[in-house]
């Protein structure tokens, strides 16, 4: 077990500041891959007061502890990456330094003992100038219990995630309740007698459960109201973007009829999911739903595949075989890429739609059929009609109720919802739990054009879940592991403002330095040599860190150093 000397200074914050970027032109602040905010403390005070008045003191306490808890998770992940070569104690102190960097509190370590092998931990800190104490004094007045709720939730989650064991902190003294200092102690959860009741503070507040209970009681009292029939389980349609919700409204309104629907949309926009929704909301929901990808069936077989074959119709037809339409009798058939139908299949489909009857290949008998048809294509049927590829009379027949499905690039607001939906699906599939997406990863998802639409997004999220370690956030690199040109463009868009601001800040300094070099006649080789050696001294002869500081690759740095040595010899 190693014990931190209370007199030992906190690690240098310079390495943390390198990950902090202010982009005022875009209205963003980035800390590594996570977007951060600057919030006014007075507004936070008003918000806390309103939450307490609305939820009560105990629920408000849990609410703000959970708020700090979520922040601590992200910072622990960051700490494990930013100081990989430091001792456990020094790396652990990244969290207290992040608290200070965010302007929340100055955390002074009094005692810190970490024994990773035996999962032992003990820590004492003193919090100076807690923002929550200031809020309490300005907005709420002195309370009868400790008030640093967000800071405490942060300390618990940060320590637990950093160490991989559940750590709980208690604020034993607090200036918000009249003590002379804010003093916290942390140790493994089981070493606290009240660890179970304390853990309950990090569960979601039960207020909504009480609301549901009240709603149930109201429902029981409304016995005279008619009970609505529950419609079938419709496939979930995720989205709030107006183009999508408009299409969804049209689909839902037409589902209850037998009208033939035509879904127009690019590949990967979810047309089959919406076709299943049409079926599940229709009176035919209890019967078969048959999906057919017309583009996947050879043209010479499409007619027999859809309408069936009579024994002896052609070589190899040794028995009668029903087609997809007969399988879908009294149900729904979904014809994807209907534009790929052969001319004979188009004529047979027109007869089904107009007369409600079909004729198997090689048979003269007409069979009555009752099928709801939903068709889809990603091409313009009007152009196909003009080119002679699609029957005009069939086009008019299926074009009676057309719904346009918007591409994902027109549904930017839906990307976070869809991404989170797919993340949960694949976390369950691969039996792992991540911490969600980094802010930069989500920004890249929203900046990308998604030519493959929802299907491409789903595949990207699956890759991100696979490449992300458990209890880590899904990064942009894990999503776009092999960056496509459009993803690269999105990446450049995120960085271009940062580069512009930084170049503006450094331009004047570089110009002044260049003027001084020219005026004093400084030799360029000597100047380069001095810069290289000075940078190496700053980073304790670590070539990799020196190269990063100078904007060079390590091989380039090593090459320059070698040339300097060779020149001297």
């Amino acid at each position: 077990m190693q014990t931190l000397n209370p007199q030992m200074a906190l690690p240098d914050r310079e390495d943390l500041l390198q990950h902090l970027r202010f982009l005022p032109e875009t209205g963003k602040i980035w800390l590594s891959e996570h977007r951060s905010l600057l919030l006014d403390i007075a507004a936070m005070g008003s918000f806390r007061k309103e939450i307490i008045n609305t939820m009560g003191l105990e629920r408000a306490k849990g609410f703000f502890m959970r708020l700090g808890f979520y922040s601590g998770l992200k910072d622990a992940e960051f700490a494990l990456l930013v100081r990989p070569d430091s001792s456990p104690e020094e790396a652990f102190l990244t969290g207290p330094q992040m608290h200070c960097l965010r302007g929340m509190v100055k955390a002074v370590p009094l005692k810190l003992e970490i024994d990773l092998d035996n999962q032992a931990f003990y820590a004492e800190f003193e919090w100076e100038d807690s923002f929550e104490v200031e809020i309490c004094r300005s907005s709420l007045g002195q309370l009868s219990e400790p008030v640093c709720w967000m800071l405490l939730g942060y300390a618990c989650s940060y320590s637990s995630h950093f160490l991989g064991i559940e750590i709980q902190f208690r604020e034993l003294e607090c200036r918000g309740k009249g003590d002379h200092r804010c003093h916290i102690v942390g140790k493994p959860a089981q070493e606290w007698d009240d660890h179970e009741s304390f853990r309950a503070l990090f569960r979601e507040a039960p207020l909504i459960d009480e609301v549901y209970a009240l709603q149930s009681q109201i429902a029981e009292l409304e016995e005279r109201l008619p009970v609505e029939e529950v419609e079938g389980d419709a496939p979930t349609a995720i989205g709030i973007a107006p183009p999508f919700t408009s299409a969804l409204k049209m689909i839902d309104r037409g589902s209850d009829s037998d009208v033939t629907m035509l879904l127009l949309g690019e590949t990967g926009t979810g047309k089959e999911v919406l076709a299943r929704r049409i079926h599940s909301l229709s009176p035919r929901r209890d019967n078969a739903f048959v999906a057919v990808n017309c583009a996947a069936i050879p043209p010479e077989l499409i007619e027999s595949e859809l309408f069936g074959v009579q024994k002896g119709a052609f070589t190899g037809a040794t028995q009668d075989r029903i087609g997809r339409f007969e399988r879908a009798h009294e149900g729904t058939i979904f014809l994807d890429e209907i534009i790929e139908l052969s001319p004979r299949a188009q004529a047979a489909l027109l007869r089904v739609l107009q007369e409600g009857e079909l004729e198997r290949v090689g048979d003269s008998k007409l069979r009555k059929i009752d099928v709801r048809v939903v068709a889809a294509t990603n091409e313009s049927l009007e152009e196909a009609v003009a080119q002679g590829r699609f029957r005009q009379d069939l086009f008019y027949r299926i074009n009676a109720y057309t719904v346009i499905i918007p591409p994902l690039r027109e549904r930017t607001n839906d990307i976070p919802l869809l991404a989170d939906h797919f993340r949960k699906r694949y976390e369950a599939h691969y039996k792992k739990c991540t911490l969600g997406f980094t802010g930069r990863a989500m920004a890249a998802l929203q900046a990308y054009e998604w030519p493959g639409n929802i299907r491409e997004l789903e595949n990207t999220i699956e890759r991100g879940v696979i490449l992300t370690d458990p209890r880590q956030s899904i990064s942009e690199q894990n999503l776009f592991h092999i960056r496509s040109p459009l993803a690269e463009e999105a990446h450049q868009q995120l960085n271009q403002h940062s580069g512009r601001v930084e170049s503006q800040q450094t331009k004047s300094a570089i110009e002044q330095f260049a003027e001084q070099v020219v005026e004093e006649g400084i030799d360029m080789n000597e100047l380069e040599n001095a810069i290289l050696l000075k940078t190496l001294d700053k980073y304790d002869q670590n070539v990799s860190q020196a190269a990063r500081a100078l904007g060079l690759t390590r091989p380039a740095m090593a090459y320059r150093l070698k040339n300097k040595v060779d020149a001297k010899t």
Side-chain angles (χ1 to χ4, degrees):
M1 176 178 290
Q2 298 181 1
T3 303
L4 174 70
N5 183 347
Q7 306 302 320
M8 187 181 79
L10 290 172
D12 188 6
R13 283 192 292 266
E14 288 300 318
D15 55 346
L16 301 183
L17 294 175
Q18 291 178 4
H19 295 269
L20 182 64
R21 296 187 298 122
F22 289 85
L23 306 179
E25 294 183 357
T26 61
K28 296 178 181 178
I29 303 171
W30 290 97
L31 179 58
S32 186
E33 287 203 5
H34 298 288
R35 186 176 177 181
S36 298
L37 302 174
L38 283 178
L39 296 177
D40 181 71
I41 194 170
M44 284 292 294
S46 300
F47 177 65
R48 176 175 291 220
K49 185 176 181 179
E50 182 174 343
I51 290 294
I52 291 175
N53 291 337
T54 302
M55 304 175 64
L57 190 64
E58 277 304 306
R59 286 199 182 94
K61 177 181 178 180
F63 175 85
F64 284 104
M65 285 184 68
R66 290 191 296 277
L67 185 59
F69 184 93
Y70 299 136
S71 178
L73 286 178
K74 298 297 184 182
D75 282 0
E77 181 185 6
F78 174 68
L80 291 169
L81 296 174
V82 74
R83 290 172 175 166
D85 301 325
S86 302
S87 67
E89 290 74 23
E90 291 180 338
F92 179 85
L93 290 176
T94 302
Q97 286 183 309
M98 294 295 293
H99 255 164
C100 187
L101 185 64
R102 295 181 188 277
M104 302 175 79
V105 71
K106 179 181 179 181
V108 180
L110 304 179
K111 190 173 184 180
L112 179 59
E113 297 175 353
I114 299 177
D115 186 350
L116 296 177
D117 294 334
N118 297 310
Q119 295 191 330
F121 175 83
Y122 182 84
E124 289 188 37
F125 286 84
E126 182 174 337
W127 282 336
E128 297 181 0
D129 295 320
S130 162
F131 85 101
E132 292 186 279
V133 170
E134 186 173 337
I135 283 177
C136 186
R137 289 178 172 177
S138 62
S139 302
L140 302 171
Q142 183 172 305
L143 300 184
S144 58
E145 61 177 81
V147 302
C148 301
W149 302 331
M150 284 181 62
L151 300 181
L152 195 65
Y154 178 101
C156 292
S157 69
Y158 174 85
S159 305
S160 299
H161 188 67
F162 185 91
L163 299 170
I165 58 175
E166 184 183 0
I167 302 296
Q168 292 184 1
F169 276 81
R170 302 290 189 276
E171 190 175 11
L172 304 182
E173 300 174 85
C174 182
R175 292 169 61 233
K177 72 180 187 71
D179 297 325
H180 73 284
R181 66 172 182 171
C182 292
H183 175 220
I184 64 167
V185 172
K187 50 189 178 181
Q190 64 272 17
E191 296 183 20
W192 295 98
D193 294 335
D194 61 341
H195 65 276
E196 288 291 349
S197 59
F198 185 83
R199 186 182 295 137
L201 292 170
F202 295 104
R203 301 190 188 109
E204 291 188 6
L207 183 61
I208 191 64
D209 294 334
E210 295 184 17
V211 172
Y212 286 151
L214 289 173
Q215 288 177 337
S216 298
Q217 294 177 24
I218 292 172
E220 291 176 2
L221 295 174
E222 294 176 338
E223 295 179 354
R224 295 184 179 180
L225 292 179
V227 180
E228 295 183 359
E229 294 184 1
V230 179
E231 295 180 283
D233 294 332
T236 303
I238 300 172
I240 57 174
F244 179 71
T245 55
S246 297
L248 204 60
K249 287 179 181 177
M250 282 198 66
I251 286 173
D252 290 353
R253 287 173 181 170
S255 296
D256 197 36
S257 67
D258 276 339
V259 65
T260 300
M261 276 199 192
L262 177 62
L263 307 181
L264 297 180
E266 297 177 7
T267 298
T269 50
K271 296 188 289 293
E272 183 172 341
V273 173
L274 295 175
R276 291 183 182 276
R277 181 182 180 89
I278 294 169
H279 174 70
S280 65
L281 295 177
S282 74
R284 300 172 179 265
R285 68 178 72 93
D286 295 328
N287 299 315
F289 174 86
V290 177
V292 182
N293 185 346
C294 301
I297 303 174
E300 63 273 13
L301 298 179
I302 187 68
E303 188 181 359
S304 60
E305 191 68 29
L306 291 179
F307 305 108
V309 178
Q310 187 69 19
K311 179 180 177 181
F314 49 78
T315 304
T318 57
Q319 59 183 7
D320 295 344
R321 179 165 57 86
I322 66 172
R324 304 289 182 92
F325 271 87
E326 288 185 76
R327 293 180 192 174
H329 181 60
E330 296 185 341
T332 304
I333 190 168
F334 172 57
L335 301 177
D336 197 9
E337 303 305 339
I338 192 174
I339 199 170
E340 299 296 333
L341 287 179
S342 65
R344 284 179 56 87
Q346 292 181 32
L349 175 59
L350 182 62
R351 167 179 273 184
V352 170
L353 294 176
Q354 288 182 337
E355 308 298 337
E357 57 188 24
L358 60 79
E359 189 177 288
R360 291 180 185 173
V361 175
D363 191 13
S364 59
K365 179 181 177 181
L366 294 177
R367 289 174 169 82
K368 285 293 183 181
I369 193 77
D370 177 17
V371 176
R372 168 66 171 299
V373 176
V374 178
T377 182
N378 61 3
E379 296 184 47
S380 170
L381 288 180
E382 291 180 339
E383 292 183 6
V385 169
Q387 296 167 1
R389 296 167 50 207
F390 201 81
R391 292 178 62 111
Q392 187 176 47
D393 48 1
L394 179 59
F395 168 69
Y396 291 140
R397 186 73 189 186
I398 66 174
N399 193 43
Y401 200 100
T402 301
V403 181
I404 298 176
I405 313 302
L408 191 54
R409 62 180 173 273
E410 296 178 7
R411 301 172 53 190
T412 307
N413 293 341
D414 291 342
I415 290 176
L417 301 176
L418 291 164
D420 201 50
H421 169 74
F422 292 131
R423 174 184 64 82
K424 292 176 181 177
R425 172 189 293 179
Y426 287 110
E427 282 181 356
H429 178 75
Y430 293 109
K431 295 180 175 58
K432 66 163 58 176
C433 181
T434 72
L435 296 180
F437 302 95
T438 67
R440 191 174 185 83
M442 184 57 69
L445 288 174
Q446 292 184 281
Y448 185 47
E449 290 288 329
W450 299 110
N453 293 292
I454 297 175
R455 186 181 295 118
E456 183 184 6
L457 174 65
E458 180 178 359
N459 294 336
T460 300
I461 301 305
E462 182 180 12
R463 178 173 60 245
V465 171
I466 292 172
L467 295 177
T468 301
D469 293 331
R471 298 175 61 80
Q472 297 293 318
S473 294
I474 301 173
S475 66
E476 178 194 15
Q477 182 180 5
N478 287 345
L479 292 171
F480 299 100
H481 186 59
I482 302 175
R483 184 171 285 127
S484 67
L486 286 175
E488 180 64 38
E489 181 181 348
H491 182 78
Q492 293 174 357
Q493 290 173 354
L494 289 170
N495 285 302
Q496 64 182 358
H497 297 289
S498 174
R500 190 182 306 128
V501 172
E502 291 174 358
S503 63
Q504 290 174 352
Q505 292 174 343
T506 58
K507 182 177 179 181
S508 58
I510 293 174
E511 289 177 346
Q512 293 175 8
F513 179 67
E515 291 176 0
Q516 183 179 357
V517 170
V518 173
E519 291 176 1
E520 298 183 11
I522 299 174
D523 182 77
M524 285 299 296
N525 289 326
E526 293 181 0
L527 176 62
E528 181 179 350
N529 189 40
I531 292 174
L532 293 175
L533 295 177
K534 190 70 176 177
T535 308
L536 280 172
D537 290 340
K538 180 179 179 181
Y539 292 98
D540 298 325
Q541 306 304 309
N542 188 313
V543 176
S544 296
Q545 291 185 11
R548 283 195 295 268
L550 293 174
L552 300 172
T553 63
R554 192 187 190 287
M557 180 76 173
Y559 175 78
R560 291 172 184 257
L561 290 172
K562 183 177 182 300
N563 283 348
K564 297 301 178 187
V565 173
D566 293 342
K568 287 184 178 180
T569 57

